[in-house]
Amino acid sequence: MSKISKTVAVLGVVAGLGVAALPISTYAANPETVNLNVKVVDKIELNADRTTANINATNGADVTGQEDTVTLTVKTGNSKGYTLNAKTGNTDLADGSGNSIPAGAPLVGSSLWGMKGGNQAFQNYTGLQTTDQLVKKTAIAPTSGEDTTPVTFGVTTAANQAAGTYTGNVVFTAIANI
């Protein structure tokens, strides 16, 4: 091997070792951190198994047998649960001819209509108001993602209650607890 060849070979080894000795950061860009924020929007859904409760009432009869039940289903994943409220647009059921049945706990001999169900104010028949009333409150999300609440509407009518079809409505709302 000639002197020049040996010199080139030695310089090549030295150059190779020199490159190997340089820190990696000389060849890599500075690291960049990206933060990830995910906001899960709470979804809550309320459904009734039917939108009309039908009751046939006989004047002077007890509320038993003069009832109809609607099942409400709340779907939510909110870890703090939900609140179910009810209110009526008008406390009286009306027949359109000036006759009415006021809201209240149904009582034999009186014309009254009410609702029961949930785990709060409506454990027994109670008359509805035009402002939200607490029907049910939970503290955790339903284990299956949904929770059902049957609510029963009942009516009694006095002996002199005019015959006819009396109508009204109840508005239910489900709100995610915060």
Side-chain angles (χ1 to χ4, degrees), residues 86-88 90-92 101-106 112-116 121-134 152-154 170:
K87 68 180 178 180
T88 183
N90 185 335
T91 56
D92 292 350
I101 301 172
L112 296 166
W113 75 278
M115 184 187 88
K116 67 179 179 178
F122 294 94
Q123 293 294 299
N124 298 305
Y125 276 111
T126 303
L128 279 102
Q129 300 172 8
T130 57
T131 57
D132 280 336
Q133 292 174 272
L134 183 59
T152 302
F153 300 97
V170 176

Side-chain angles (χ1 to χ4, degrees), residues 9 15 21 27 38 68 98:
Y27 296 104
V38 177
D68 196 6

Side-chain angles (χ1 to χ4, degrees), residues 57 59 95 97-101 111 157-166:
N59 286 351
D95 70 353
S97 299
N99 299 306
S100 62
I101 301 172
S111 292
T157 53
N160 63 348
Q161 184 69 45
T165 300
Y166 293 77

Side-chain angles (χ1 to χ4, degrees), residues 64-89:
T64 304
Q66 300 188 142
E67 303 166 303
D68 196 6
T69 300
V70 173
T71 300
L72 303 170
T73 302
V74 175
K75 296 179 183 179
T76 184
N78 184 6
S79 63
K80 295 182 180 178
Y82 70 92
T83 300
L84 180 64
N85 294 316
K87 68 180 178 180
T88 183

Side-chain angles (χ1 to χ4, degrees), residues 12-155:
V13 170
V14 170
L17 291 175
V19 170
L22 288 175
I24 299 259
S25 62
T26 305
Y27 296 104
N30 291 331
E32 190 66 38
T33 302
V34 175
N35 295 315
L36 181 61
N37 295 321
V38 177
K39 180 178 182 180
V40 177
V41 179
D42 187 34
K43 179 183 174 189
I44 190 162
E45 184 179 319
L46 173 62
N47 295 300
D49 66 339
R50 340 186 243 120
T51 57
T52 302
N54 295 299
I55 300 170
N56 293 315
T58 302
N59 286 351
D62 184 24
V63 70
T64 304
Q66 300 188 142
E67 303 166 303
D68 196 6
T69 300
V70 173
T71 300
L72 303 170
T73 302
V74 175
K75 296 179 183 179
T76 184
N78 184 6
S79 63
K80 295 182 180 178
Y82 70 92
T83 300
L84 180 64
N85 294 316
K87 68 180 178 180
T88 183
N90 185 335
T91 56
D92 292 350
L93 300 177
D95 70 353
S97 299
N99 299 306
S100 62
I101 301 172
L107 179 66
V108 174
S110 299
S111 292
L112 296 166
W113 75 278
M115 184 187 88
K116 67 179 179 178
N119 64 4
Q120 299 294 316
F122 294 94
Q123 293 294 299
N124 298 305
Y125 276 111
T126 303
L128 279 102
Q129 300 172 8
T130 57
T131 57
D132 280 336
Q133 292 174 272
L134 183 59
V135 176
K136 186 173 187 176
K137 187 166 189 161
T138 66
I140 59 172
T143 54
S144 66
E146 66 180 45
D147 188 38
T148 59
T149 303
V151 292
T152 302
F153 300 97
V155 65

